[in-house]
Amino acid sequence: MSIEPTMNLFVKKTGGWVASQLEACTRCGMCAEACPYYLATGKAEYAPIWKVEPLRRAYEQRFTLIGKLKVALGVEKALTDADLKAWSKVDFEACSVCGKCSGACPMGIEISSLIATVRAGITAAGLAPAGLVEKTEMQMKCGSPNGMCEDEYIKWFDSLEEKTGVKAPLDVKGADMLVVYTSLEIKDKRHNLYDLAKILNAAGIKWTISMDARDAFNMGSIIGNPKVQKELAGKILNTAKKLGVKQILVTECGHGFTTLRDAVPNVFGEELPFFVTHIAELLPNLIKEGKIKVKEGYFKNGHTYTFHDSCKIQRQGGIMDEPRYALKLLAGDTFKEMDSIRENGLCCGGGGGIRSIPEANENRLAAFKLKLAEVEKVGADVVVSTCDNCQLQLKDGFKHYNKAVEVKGLIEMVAEAMI
Ligand code: SF4
Ligand code: SF4
């Protein structure tokens, strides 16, 4: 699809909202001061408000007299495919849809949502980055974007019995909880399956897993393709309904969690018959409620710990107090806070699918440097995160800059400290 029908469709669908948002912009520049890619590179085209310029122009040129006049008099050119291609580089290669710019805007403009709309337009026009298109096709074909197909999941789930003596609870009807992992975990954090089984069994939770709802990853949300988003989320939604669970637990996926919890009710136009939670929320609550016991101060071991707020789980998801409660208990006064935390946390630079776009590596590692500076300032040698994608980016970044900083997930810490 080329830009004309694509932008017409998006502007038509979002016209009023887009107009009210963009007309409120005072060009104050505060969103730019929040954007890690702009701050790290100093490039004017990476300012958040510039990333939504195609939408503003498309709206103005179609629906306002001044816009129509500008095009008719040749003051401004009508947007073309080539323009949108250039914006693909800005909106996909220099933005993690972290949402910090929206929080910084004094006019309350939802800039990151507008950026997501531009990304959807670029994708519909067939101009999304090749790396993301490839991952999307792979997930539609085999269930996971990184090629971890059903046979890999079968082997992983089977390995639970070999490692722990506990059989994987597959498709248990009437279970309380459906646990949904990500293929990043099978690849790089296989122990999450064993550690989480230990925690959930100790807490007396009747949980289940399912081959039909095994990967919370949703390339539709990342690339901005509503059809793909619906199809992938629908698999999990239908499995949860079929099994009759009361809740879905997303292990470490950030956007998978917010897609299921926040987007799915709107996408399907129905109230969910279960609630969606994340390990960042569940594990600390299990400790608080006395359902599992951990050794207090277990991680007071000469290291300094800090916590990385993930954009989806913490800023958007609002799960900020719970992981801190667990970390204070486990690491005591060796847990230190960075300067930019909670809803003001700095993106690690690796979200929004940017890790799947090789052309964005320079931007991604430049943005990571801001996070690195905060980690070094607080003197931490261990960074804890509840998102597996952030953990990969942090590990990558520390390795790239030759820094001896360890990255840990909350699941492994809680399992290790359990009494
Ligand atoms: S969403 Fe984040 S990365 Fe994207 S423009 Fe806004 S601040 Fe920058
Ligand atoms: S912070 Fe808000 S008002 Fe200021 S330039 Fe950015 S979008 Fe416009």
Side-chain angles (χ1 to χ4, degrees):
M1 204 188 280
S2 79
I3 183 173
E4 273 302 311
T6 304
M7 290 319 276
N8 275 344
L9 184 74
F10 275 91
V11 169
K12 212 167 151 187
K13 269 193 173 177
T14 59
W17 179 69
V18 168
S20 65
Q21 290 273 299
L22 293 177
E23 276 164 14
C25 176
T26 59
R27 297 285 189 275
C28 70
M30 282 171 81
C31 52
E33 295 306 313
C35 179
Y37 299 93
Y38 171 81
L39 290 174
T41 63
K43 291 186 181 173
E45 67 268 30
Y46 291 175
I49 198 65
W50 184 249
K51 290 170 183 156
V52 297
E53 178 67 9
L55 210 50
R56 190 197 64 74
R57 274 198 215 166
Y59 174 77
E60 195 181 73
Q61 291 174 2
R62 281 157 184 77
F63 291 103
T64 67
L65 183 61
I66 189 148
K68 285 176 187 167
L69 275 174
K70 274 187 196 170
V71 177
L73 297 174
V75 179
E76 198 175 273
K77 277 201 229 149
L79 275 170
T80 62
D81 272 1
D83 292 323
L84 212 57
K85 200 164 185 179
W87 260 291
S88 175
K89 290 196 81 59
V90 173
D91 283 78
F92 281 100
E93 294 178 23
C95 177
S96 56
V97 205
C98 76
K100 195 165 177 185
C101 49
S102 302
C105 176
M107 304 308 289
I109 299 172
E110 275 289 336
I111 315 167
S112 62
S113 302
L114 294 170
I115 292 171
T117 305
V118 175
R119 284 169 66 128
I122 292 169
T123 295
L127 298 167
L132 286 183
V133 173
E134 203 181 294
K135 291 269 158 91
T136 306
E137 286 169 356
M138 180 61 88
Q139 185 166 26
M140 293 304 277
K141 198 170 91 188
C142 101
S144 294
N146 60 358
M148 290 283 145
C149 307
E150 193 168 331
D151 52 338
E152 290 297 331
Y153 269 89
I154 291 172
K155 278 191 239 157
W156 192 41
F157 288 158
D158 281 350
S159 71
L160 179 65
E161 193 170 4
E162 290 152 31
K163 293 273 178 192
T164 66
V166 176
K167 209 170 159 42
L170 210 59
D171 292 312
V172 180
K173 276 208 166 170
D176 293 327
M177 178 189 280
L178 171 67
V179 181
V180 190
Y181 297 87
T182 77
S183 42
L184 295 180
E185 290 168 281
I186 320 180
K187 246 183 133 219
D188 297 293
K189 304 196 71 194
R190 293 178 76 85
H191 58 84
N192 269 5
L193 175 68
Y194 322 131
D195 290 342
L196 196 57
K198 177 179 160 182
I199 297 167
L200 298 178
N201 288 337
I205 293 171
K206 203 172 158 199
W207 59 289
T208 186
I209 46 183
S210 177
M211 291 306 293
D212 296 331
R214 54 188 191 262
D215 197 337
F217 223 92
N218 193 315
M219 283 306 300
S221 303
I222 299 271
I223 202 167
N225 183 326
K227 223 172 131 207
V228 171
Q229 184 195 46
K230 192 172 181 179
E231 188 173 329
L232 294 173
K235 287 185 190 176
I236 299 173
L237 180 72
N238 292 334
T239 306
K241 281 182 182 169
K242 193 178 76 193
L243 296 174
V245 297
K246 296 186 190 76
Q247 59 178 310
I248 292 181
L249 172 67
V250 177
T251 53
E252 288 192 333
C253 192
H255 78 275
F257 166 61
T258 48
T259 297
L260 285 171
R261 191 193 69 174
D262 305 337
V264 159
N266 290 328
V267 167
F268 287 87
E270 58 180 271
E271 216 176 294
L272 300 181
F274 43 75
F275 74 92
V276 181
T277 185
H278 191 275
I279 60 102
E281 183 174 40
L282 179 83
L283 303 191
N285 284 341
L286 290 180
I287 300 173
K288 222 184 258 183
E289 292 159 12
K291 292 191 175 142
I292 54 169
K293 288 197 166 32
V294 291
K295 193 167 177 215
E296 281 189 36
Y298 181 89
F299 287 98
K300 281 185 86 169
N301 49 13
H303 292 286
T304 301
Y305 293 78
T306 194
F307 181 67
H308 163 66
D309 288 283
S310 300
C311 304
K312 298 293 172 203
I313 304 160
Q314 275 78 41
R315 187 185 349 265
Q316 186 180 334
I319 309 174
M320 294 179 269
D321 293 334
E322 294 87 347
R324 290 183 160 80
Y325 166 82
L327 278 177
K328 279 176 197 157
L329 205 68
L330 294 171
D333 57 6
T334 65
F335 165 58
K336 310 268 184 221
E337 291 277 21
M338 286 181 269
D339 284 348
S340 311
I341 57 166
R342 300 174 71 92
E343 56 272 14
N344 289 322
L346 262 177
C347 174
C348 60
I354 207 164
R355 289 180 53 77
S356 301
I357 310 170
E359 300 83 354
N361 276 351
E362 208 179 305
N363 285 343
R364 177 170 71 77
L365 289 162
F368 171 79
K369 262 183 123 173
L370 304 177
K371 178 61 71 175
L372 174 61
E374 293 217 343
V375 172
E376 291 194 313
K377 190 174 170 205
V378 81
D381 59 350
V382 184
V383 179
V384 181
S385 153
T386 54
C387 168
D388 48 20
N389 186 64
C390 293
Q391 287 169 43
L392 288 178
Q393 164 74 354
L394 292 165
K395 282 179 191 167
D396 229 30
F398 291 130
K399 193 170 162 208
H400 180 83
Y401 291 107
N402 212 9
K403 302 290 173 186
V405 181
E406 198 187 341
V407 179
K408 274 186 175 292
L410 195 61
I411 298 177
E412 69 206 70
M413 289 180 79
V414 170
E416 196 184 327
M418 262 172 64
I419 301 168

